[in-house]
Amino acid sequence: MEQEDNKLVEERREKLKALRAAGAAYPNDFRRRDLAAELIESHGGKTKEALEKNSMNACIAGRMMLKRVMGKASFATLQDGSGRMQIYVSNDVTGERFHDEFKHWDLGDIVGVEGTLFKTNKGELTISANKIRLIAKALRPLPEKFHGLADQETRYRQRYVDLIVSPEVREVFIKRLKIIQSMRELLSKEGYLEVETPMMQPIPGGAAARPFKTHHNALDMELFLRIAPELYLKRLVVGGMERVFEINRNFRNEGISTRHNPEFTMLEWYCAYEDCNYMMDLTERLVRAAARAAGEKLIVTYQGKDLNLENPFARITISDAIRKSAGAGDLRDRKYLSKKLKELGVEHKDSQGWGALQLMLFEAVAEKHLIEPTFILDFPAEVSPLARRRDADPELTDRFELFIDAKEIANGFSELNDPEDQAARFQEQARRKEAGDAEAMYYDADYIRALEHGMPPCAGGGLGVDRLVMLLTDSPSIRDVILFPQMRPET
């Protein structure tokens, strides 16, 4: 196959050589006026007779995807960014010389056409070419069975080819844009300000994750790619920007899976004088707005399962979720939790408290059952270093995570605005990092200083854009919804 492809490339290079000799390689003076989809929308419903009576001119450009040569006349299909349009090239209208040149052009070539609209006997809207030009020569042939490849990585690695030959892939990314825009518009209407925060940070904060490191030469200092924008967004709340959001790229130096990519997109938003309950309500509204923007009904089918986004999302505590799957027991008893984890074969450390063990047990036994949209509540303070403690039970926090189809889609909480409590929790995180926990947080003295100026009561949320797009486009892997997912170098 590779040898055959190389032969085709060489043949195309010879054609390009002839174009260069004629001074006709890669021209830049063709200006299209029309798009395929717009022509079909405005003229596709007209009869053959109506088009013949009222001659309509069109000028399009696109990649040649199909070609049928039939002696003195030929048909071809051009694809532009909006869709596909058939063209008709003939000796009588286009001219014998230009038709002969056209016969030597290849699939994948980018072609410009001017001509008259008509309908074929089969009723297909077509442009009869008065003028036709080769605008860009494609040196590599399009794959015949691109989606039949056993190695899916080829599709992700050569996304440009995937987009050319698979209109449904382009539709996924068009839906992605609509989903993001819907959330942006909802928050803007609610009075939130869209902001930008640093992507290179001297201290990575806002999440428990292993960061990527880089070095700034002029300042001779180590910097980290952000793992979350949280601490900077909350600095803005301190500064009086009481409703802020950011659609941000985050970077986490961790494994790759169908749910994880080292570079991913999050929506984070913060609101003064609100709490965790408000944030759950708003999260529901954001998810529904996204579903509508994607053209989906609020009963979404994902990988064969129907998921109801219309009904109020369930809300249960993390303890109740565990008991539902693993039975009764004291979920604050470290010995009991450790015993259950050993039975399940889940590794854990003696240094971990009951809160961390409880979360591990939840992930092992309960998370996989959360198919319908469900908010999990009452996370232990030990695993929630930025969340406000519950007044009635300081060992828990006012925090939630939203799960749909056993995937964490969003995370939010009433924010911790007590600088002394936050400093103590940062110190505990720093001790864990010194003990070898690579994902523990750093102590951020400037953030503590910001809190010491006074942050109003505040709620915040973070929503995984990529996972939500997966859900609303029925995509099995996060790589299907990221244009250029991280890949190993080609060998």
Side-chain angles (χ1 to χ4, degrees), residues 256-268:
I256 295 176
S257 73
T258 57
R259 301 184 186 188
H260 299 88
N261 192 69
E263 178 182 359
F264 61 97
T265 303
M266 289 280 293
L267 165 67
E268 286 205 21

Side-chain angles (χ1 to χ4, degrees), residues 452-467:
E452 288 173 346
H453 281 279
M455 183 172 79
C458 178
L463 186 149
V465 171
D466 306 304
R467 290 184 183 178

Side-chain angles (χ1 to χ4, degrees), residues 283-295:
T283 301
E284 284 194 38
R285 291 167 55 206
L286 285 165
V287 170
R288 293 191 187 105
R292 293 188 183 99

Side-chain angles (χ1 to χ4, degrees), residues 237 242-243 271-275 278 455-459:
V237 176
E242 295 180 345
R243 293 190 172 203
C271 182
Y273 305 107
E274 292 292 358
D275 64 8
Y278 159 87
M455 183 172 79
C458 178

Side-chain angles (χ1 to χ4, degrees), residues 310-333:
E310 187 170 18
N311 294 338
F313 296 177
R315 302 184 183 191
I316 61 175
T317 67
I318 190 171
S319 297
D320 286 343
I322 294 171
R323 290 191 181 100
K324 194 173 181 180
S325 301
D330 186 352
L331 295 178
R332 297 195 190 189
D333 181 346

